[in-house]
Amino acid sequence: MKSDTSFISSLSRAFHRLGPFIILLFVISFFAFTMESDVRNGFFSIHNGKLMLTQTVIVAIGALGMTMIIISGGIDLSVGSVIALTSVTGAYLVREGHSLAVGFFIPILLGGIIGLLNGSIIALFKMTPFIVTLGMLGVARGLAKWRADNQTVNLPQEQLGPVGTLMSDPDPDGLFLSPGIVIAIELAILTAILLRRTVFGKHIFAIGSNEATARLCGIRTVATIIWIYALAGLFFGLAGVMQFSRLRQGDPSAAIGIELDIIAAVVIGGASLNGGVGSIFGSMIGALTMAVLRSGSTQSDWPNYMQEIIIGIVIILAVGLDKWRQGRHAA
Amino acid sequence: MPVARLRLHAVTKRFGATHALRGVSLTLAPGEVHAIIGENGAGKSTLMKILSGAHQPDYGQMFLNEVPFAPRNPIEGRRAGVVMIYQELNLVPHLTVADNILLGSEPSRFGFLDKKQQHTIARQALAELGHENIPLDAPVSSCSIAGQQMIEIARALVHHPQVLIMDEPTSSLTQADVEKLFIAIDRLKAKGVGILYISHFLEECQRIASHYTVLRDGESVATGKMSEVTLPEILHAMVGRELNEIYPRIPHALGETILEISNLTGITKPVDVSFRLRKGEIMGIAGLIGAGRTETLRAIFGLDRCSGVIEVKNHHRGRTPRARLKQGIGFLSENRKEEGLMLQQTIADNLTLSRLAPFSSFGLLRAGQQHARASEMISRFSIKARDSRQEVGALSGGNQQKVAFARLLHHSADIFLLDEPTRGIDVGSKAEIYSLMGELAAAGKSILFSSSYIPELLGVCDTIAVICRGRLGPAKPVSDWTEHSIIAAAVGQEDRCLS
């Protein structure tokens, strides 16, 4: 009897975890049915699959950081601007003749510093994350434009070296993945372990679930929140490097509004904006769902406005479905 | 025979394999206060949900004024005249008293709020309860808990209820406020409203209710007139066994002083509080709600700012909650839902959050060990749960409280600051918590036990001190106190409180 109920409960937990996956399958099968056969063959080719994975990388890496922040009960709206700032910084450093290592690591560090700043203001002054990061959205975007003199930072392609290959497919028809995808997958695994299997991860969930309880249990809430934003900032910095590698230039007006895609991916992945709930696996599926949606609607030759409408509807449906499932789960 | 306000006939409800209610029948006359008594999980909340329309019965009928009553949702139930007042009050803190009383049924003229009429109706509703002095324009958050409850009842009155269901109305009220509530209930009775009164406080049920029904495992096991039954008989019906000792006396010896508080003063409360807690002592802090019991415990634990000296006989330093935990002090919040527990997280996480170190190396957690520890605590405290991975929010109040308490034991605290540890939990769980406190004292632990329920303080404490308007009176052995002398001290009828 007891093992029976725990079997059912683990089954329903599994179903809950697979929830985002069901949305993804739904989106894919939707395109399978609606596409013309020649378009469909192109859409379902290995080449396009890898292309979609590559397009997922930036949102996915951003979603890793955003998942931690959202689980802790916060939000970060400054991601898009941080990506622009760090990609411009990377391009600028490489153009100025610094080594590629500098062009790779300094932008990541810069992302971390901005996160540290966000987290410190939020935690020390007890300010709302929405407002603080909304302010930072403007600041970082402005800094990016300033650094880039309001234009793109261009540099000779041969100077790019390995940074330029992060997002390019080494083997278009084979199964080798671009370094960017491999990095994203590895980081996803590490972040999932961090959230589920470490003391720090438990503290993130605790703060998002009930900050008062966390305080009661002796967790250093202020320090933990600062660390969460700083760590997430490192991910956003890395996403900026990926952006730089993909565009092969530093564009201060890149990634506008990407924070919304990232937040959507995390929420489609089952996270709650109230905090305390969320998973890396879900967020990654969410990010992939967004990429499939964009790629599929482009290849179906839908006009741009149609894409935006459909993506908006899917986000609402996905979250609505999740609510409905949780409601049934609870009853 | 007059028409029954409410009649239930063989109401049955199943959830999957479990019978939440089996053939419960009940009759409520106009102006009758009928106590529904039972441990948590006995089926009280299911019955209330069916009456309010949140659930529908599988079998059985309900009649309101002898007319079939089958609400499909709470709005239908409310419209028909069956109104619930929940234990957790449902008020909008930022809105005014008048706004709250007429929330959802605002009088309007051409879409504009008719403020004059709103105030008239609100004042009239409050006057019916004898509370016309509550300011209508004050935000609800500025009212006391007791005042908020009156506002909630007034809101129900606006809808001219036939039947009022009150779920644990006194769980957060002080003795004086309970009296006021009872006066209000008497007025409602006089108006012919039928009242179903759910409470864990049996003495109160005995006082206010004329009839009672005891639920156990979804069945009505005893019912009748309150005047024809004794407390032990009710208890017997509730637990299905003799509860000889609700307050088990476990012998324990008092040792040297382990915690010494001098001149503890907070922002408003406490005021200049000094006392000593000895090893193996259970010291009760009695007082009205808002007298400063909670504030005193929070200040000691470092949750609120305070001045004064808190001396722990132990070498660790610091005044933050983190430091206090290191010093072996544990704090059980009176508000387990908002402060004490993370409802969405698992039992294991809630239980071990303050001390994950035994299961971690280099920051990496060993989940297996963590869950093994949690399972051990679950069986030791007989927490009714599926397994250690179940969410705490899915447990009953009593079991949630046991999880919060078990956390302090996992932390192996030496000094337990317990703020209303038995609030809103069933008699069985209460008895378990009392005996646990006795066992802890016998093992040389010290307990500060804050409560607004005087019988339990008299039942388990070695010494009791009464707090009044932030000032703590002298701690005296429990044998020097009576329920009356504690109340007198709590309302400031003793000289030292007036100074």
Side-chain angles (χ1 to χ4, degrees):
Chain A
M1 178 78 189
K2 198 177 175 191
S3 64
D4 192 41
T5 54
S6 77
F7 172 72
I8 290 171
S9 80
S10 59
L11 203 70
S12 77
R13 259 201 299 268
F15 178 70
H16 183 73
R17 259 191 212 157
L18 288 178
F21 211 67
I22 295 167
I23 312 268
L24 178 60
L25 283 179
F26 172 77
V27 168
I28 291 174
S29 46
F30 175 78
F31 284 121
F33 283 114
T34 56
M35 278 173 172
E36 310 267 338
S37 65
D38 54 327
V39 178
R40 185 163 58 218
N41 290 338
F43 182 70
F44 284 101
S45 64
I46 292 177
H47 175 71
N48 189 52
K50 289 168 72 181
L51 199 67
M52 286 193 292
L53 281 180
T54 309
Q55 286 163 346
T56 311
V57 166
I58 294 171
V59 169
I61 292 177
L64 294 177
M66 190 67 84
T67 306
M68 293 194 295
I69 290 176
I70 286 181
I71 289 175
S72 79
I75 193 110
D76 193 333
L77 299 178
S78 66
V79 188
S81 302
V82 171
I83 288 177
L85 175 60
T86 51
S87 71
V88 163
T89 308
Y92 175 81
L93 288 171
V94 174
R95 193 183 67 187
E96 297 300 298
H98 291 279
S99 72
L100 286 168
V102 169
F104 185 79
F105 287 109
I106 294 293
I108 296 177
L109 209 62
L110 180 63
I113 290 169
I114 294 175
L116 190 75
L117 217 61
N118 275 333
S120 305
I121 298 171
I122 290 165
L124 292 173
F125 301 105
K126 310 260 171 270
M127 283 174 72
T128 325
F130 189 96
I131 300 300
V132 173
T133 57
L134 183 66
M136 194 55 81
L137 178 152
V139 172
R141 182 68 66 182
L143 286 175
K145 287 179 178 165
W146 186 11
R147 175 77 284 166
D149 279 333
N150 239 336
Q151 52 198 347
T152 55
V153 178
N154 296 309
L155 61 168
Q157 292 303 307
E158 63 275 11
Q159 238 181 319
L160 274 167
V163 170
T165 65
L166 280 173
M167 299 284 278
S168 57
D169 198 336
D171 177 19
D173 293 308
L175 290 171
F176 284 104
L177 299 169
S178 67
I181 300 175
V182 176
I183 291 174
I185 292 174
E186 286 168 354
L187 284 177
I189 293 169
L190 282 178
T191 316
I193 293 173
L194 176 84
L195 276 172
R196 290 288 170 190
R197 290 275 174 264
T198 68
V199 174
F200 182 65
K202 286 289 173 207
H203 289 182
I204 297 178
F205 273 95
I207 288 173
S209 206
N210 193 337
E211 200 173 329
T213 312
R215 212 172 150 229
L216 209 75
C217 287
I219 293 174
R220 292 194 188 94
T221 49
V222 170
T224 308
I225 289 172
I226 294 175
W227 274 115
I228 292 168
Y229 281 88
L231 195 57
L234 293 176
F235 283 116
F236 302 151
L238 178 63
V241 173
M242 294 296 175
Q243 178 79 23
F244 163 44
S245 162
R246 185 168 144 199
L247 296 180
R248 299 173 157 268
Q249 62 182 14
D251 181 358
S253 59
I256 287 178
I258 203 174
E259 54 276 352
L260 300 182
D261 275 23
I262 293 174
I263 293 168
V266 174
V267 170
I268 288 175
S272 159
L273 288 179
N274 294 325
V277 183
S279 80
I280 291 296
F281 176 73
S283 298
M284 293 301 99
I285 299 294
L288 201 55
T289 308
M290 297 295 288
V292 172
L293 267 173
R294 290 211 188 281
S295 165
S297 42
T298 309
Q299 291 181 39
S300 299
D301 259 342
W302 295 344
N304 213 11
Y305 57 82
M306 231 18 226
Q307 287 185 30
E308 287 174 15
I309 292 173
I310 300 239
I311 290 173
I313 290 173
V314 167
I315 292 172
I316 295 173
L317 279 182
V319 178
L321 186 71
D322 191 54
K323 270 255 177 256
W324 179 72
R325 259 196 349 248
Q326 279 180 19
R328 278 170 57 100
H329 191 65
Chain B
M1 189 178 157
V3 171
R5 264 288 173 262
L6 182 72
R7 199 157 62 80
L8 269 59
H9 179 68
V11 170
T12 299
K13 178 78 187 175
R14 301 167 71 129
F15 292 110
T18 51
H19 258 102
L21 283 178
R22 305 170 197 244
V24 172
S25 298
L26 188 155
T27 309
L28 180 71
E32 172 180 327
V33 178
H34 194 121
I36 307 284
I37 301 166
E39 293 199 76
N40 286 348
K44 286 174 302 178
S45 23
T46 310
L47 183 64
M48 296 312 120
K49 282 180 180 160
I50 285 177
L51 278 168
S52 69
H55 287 326
Q56 282 69 46
D58 296 333
Y59 311 105
Q61 292 103 44
M62 301 191 285
F63 301 92
L64 188 64
N65 298 322
E66 296 301 342
V67 176
F69 170 63
R72 279 170 297 181
N73 54 50
I75 298 170
E76 275 193 17
R78 192 170 259 260
R79 284 217 185 106
V82 177
V83 181
M84 277 228 45
I85 293 171
Y86 291 93
Q87 184 177 4
E88 281 90 23
L89 300 176
N90 285 302
L91 297 169
V92 187
H94 299 299
L95 292 183
T96 67
V97 172
D99 287 341
N100 268 284
I101 290 178
L102 284 148
L103 199 65
S105 47
E106 294 85 354
S108 62
R109 256 190 216 164
F110 315 114
F112 290 98
L113 182 67
D114 184 348
K115 210 154 188 170
K116 213 167 157 190
Q117 208 194 337
Q118 185 200 31
H119 275 64
T120 316
I121 299 174
R123 180 156 320 281
Q124 192 192 341
L126 284 171
E128 280 181 41
L129 297 168
H131 281 263
E132 55 273 49
N133 51 351
I134 296 178
L136 291 178
D137 281 320
V140 154
S141 54
S142 72
C143 299
S144 65
I145 301 248
Q148 292 186 15
Q149 191 163 34
M150 286 303 157
I151 294 162
E152 179 102 19
I153 299 174
R155 179 158 74 184
L157 285 187
V158 169
H159 298 276
H160 304 291
Q162 306 284 313
V163 175
L164 202 59
I165 305 168
M166 305 176 102
D167 186 12
E168 291 285 348
T170 59
S171 64
S172 46
L173 296 188
T174 57
Q175 209 79 37
D177 291 327
V178 169
E179 296 305 321
K180 286 185 196 159
L181 176 72
F182 283 2
I183 292 170
I185 288 178
D186 280 333
R187 288 177 182 234
L188 295 173
K189 267 163 71 178
K191 287 183 54 158
V193 178
I195 295 171
L196 287 180
Y197 187 91
I198 305 164
S199 177
H200 284 119
F201 300 105
L202 298 180
E203 293 89 342
E204 282 174 11
C205 290
Q206 224 175 6
R207 261 197 60 200
I208 192 74
S210 56
H211 293 74
Y212 72 97
T213 293
V214 179
L215 294 180
R216 190 174 78 226
D217 300 328
E219 279 181 281
S220 160
V221 289
T223 183
K225 282 192 180 161
M226 209 43 133
S227 55
E228 293 164 3
V229 71
T230 64
L231 259 184
E233 282 168 357
I234 292 180
L235 279 173
H236 181 75
M238 280 172 72
V239 292
R241 64 189 146 90
E242 213 69 55
L243 242 187
N244 295 329
E245 285 280 312
I246 309 181
Y247 305 118
R249 277 276 173 197
I250 298 167
H252 53 271
L254 306 190
E256 74 278 17
T257 300
I258 187 166
L259 176 72
E260 188 164 359
I261 310 286
S262 323
N263 313 106
L264 186 71
T265 301
I267 295 165
T268 57
K269 283 169 281 191
V271 184
D272 202 16
V273 161
S274 306
F275 66 89
R276 288 170 182 206
L277 185 68
R278 286 164 290 179
K279 205 165 184 286
E281 179 175 2
I282 306 179
M283 176 173 164
I285 298 187
L288 306 178
I289 289 200
R293 283 180 288 120
T294 300
E295 290 82 350
T296 306
L297 296 192
R298 293 179 69 89
I300 296 172
F301 193 61
L303 283 167
D304 293 339
R305 239 185 269 175
C306 63
S307 64
V309 181
I310 300 166
E311 204 179 325
V312 190
K313 300 291 183 252
N314 161 323
H315 52 275
H316 291 286
R317 299 188 159 269
R319 301 178 73 118
T320 61
R322 189 181 171 81
R324 293 298 178 211
L325 283 166
K326 283 211 178 114
Q327 292 157 10
I329 302 181
F331 174 71
L332 186 77
S333 171
E334 63 167 340
N335 200 339
R336 61 176 170 268
K337 286 198 170 137
E338 269 152 44
E339 184 172 51
L341 293 168
M342 308 175 289
L343 297 180
Q344 309 151 317
Q345 308 301 331
T346 64
I347 297 174
D349 284 348
N350 269 286
L351 236 158
T352 56
L353 183 64
S354 69
R355 196 166 70 101
L356 291 166
F359 326 114
S360 64
S361 40
F362 306 108
L364 222 57
L365 267 182
R366 287 184 294 268
Q369 288 180 15
Q370 189 198 7
H371 283 281
R373 172 67 172 163
S375 304
E376 181 193 320
M377 289 303 226
I378 287 172
S379 55
R380 181 169 156 202
F381 283 79
S382 43
I383 296 169
K384 289 197 188 75
R386 203 176 51 219
D387 54 30
S388 60
R389 286 181 167 78
Q390 191 171 11
E391 281 180 21
V392 160
L395 304 181
S396 72
N399 286 307
Q400 287 183 0
Q401 192 70 337
K402 286 187 201 168
V403 172
F405 206 141
R407 179 198 293 147
L408 305 188
L409 264 86
H410 167 69
H411 199 87
S412 44
D414 296 318
I415 301 170
F416 291 74
L417 311 177
L418 308 181
D419 198 4
E420 297 273 9
T422 63
R423 180 168 156 186
I425 66 177
D426 58 284
V427 178
S429 304
K430 276 186 186 177
E432 286 174 60
I433 283 179
Y434 299 142
S435 63
L436 183 68
M437 289 167 68
E439 283 164 28
L440 287 171
K445 312 288 186 191
S446 312
I447 298 174
L448 263 186
F449 177 17
S450 146
S451 173
S452 55
Y453 186 54
I454 297 167
E456 66 178 9
L457 288 175
L458 290 169
V460 294
C461 294
D462 300 308
T463 50
I464 295 177
V466 181
I467 195 164
C468 171
R469 294 189 199 106
R471 291 177 185 276
L472 188 74
K476 290 191 267 185
V478 70
S479 50
D480 291 2
W481 291 104
T482 63
E483 200 158 341
H484 270 101
S485 64
I486 291 178
I487 292 173
V491 297
Q493 292 301 308
E494 277 186 2
D495 296 329
R496 60 186 166 73
C497 257
L498 295 173
S499 61

